[in-house]
Amino acid sequence: MTSSSSPSPHASVLDLAPVVPVVVVADVSDAVPLARALVAGGLPAIEVTLRTPAALDAIRAIAAEVPDAVVGAGTILTPEHVAGAVAAGARFLVSPGWTDGLLDAMKASGVPFLPGVSTTSEVVALLERGVREMKFFPAQAAGGTAYLKSLAGPLPQARFCPTGGIGPECAADYLALPNVVCVGGSWMLPADAVAARDWRRVEDLARAASALRR
């Protein structure tokens, strides 16, 4: 997921931090303070999922008002999602799975992308298409650390961001694997803290997550 918006022209969004927060924004007014709290805690790569009507406006607001954030769009399912997310200012794209059509649209978008996989055949198919960085989803349900460890031998060129069911109790186990660059999760965004707009708590949880470096 190489990007010129990363620390160097050859760096990847995946290398910015050990954890990529997976964010569901219901109220667009929460987007900027939430993003600022995550960035202050050391998590600059932020995936805003396209699961709510506020998602694209949230991406637009973060892109405009939080310059230190690298905001991306998640739950990308269609070429129309790709176009809308990029137009809103998304600097990377994440899908839970992929098809040839969706992959072509993400490749053509001009921004880094992370297609989702859960099987060895999907990984091999993406490698054949020149894609080396992937989302492993749903991580815990699809085999967890044992599955990813088994892929490292035959497919060492694949790099993963596991997402799905990952929390602070198991994130370090994933990050210890040679083919895992970062993990995705939302544990630094507990629902009660977001509802109370307790951004200091979010920042503290983000700081703890950012300390989970390999």
Side-chain angles (χ1 to χ4, degrees), residues 1-2 12-15 20 47 92-98 103 106-107 112-139 147-148 151-152 154-164 166 174 179-184:
M1 204 158 64
T2 304
S12 165
V13 173
L14 299 187
D15 294 312
V20 176
E47 175 189 337
F92 64 94
L93 306 171
V94 184
S95 66
W98 65 280
L103 188 67
M106 291 194 292
K107 279 190 168 186
F113 59 94
L114 197 64
V117 297
S118 61
T119 70
T120 306
S121 293
E122 290 171 322
V123 176
V124 172
L126 283 179
L127 291 172
E128 188 177 79
R129 297 284 298 269
V131 179
R132 295 182 57 221
E133 295 186 336
M134 311 167 195
K135 171 179 180 173
F136 180 61
F137 176 84
Y147 193 98
L148 285 172
L151 294 182
L155 302 170
Q157 63 272 54
R159 296 183 358 137
F160 297 99
C161 177
T163 305
I166 297 177
Y174 280 95
N179 53 351
V180 170
V181 189
C182 61
V183 301

Side-chain angles (χ1 to χ4, degrees), residues 55-82:
L56 290 177
D57 285 336
I59 291 170
R60 196 171 288 112
I62 294 169
E65 299 183 46
V66 192
D68 291 332
V70 178
V71 63
T75 321
I76 296 288
L77 301 176
T78 66
E80 290 75 24
H81 282 168
V82 172

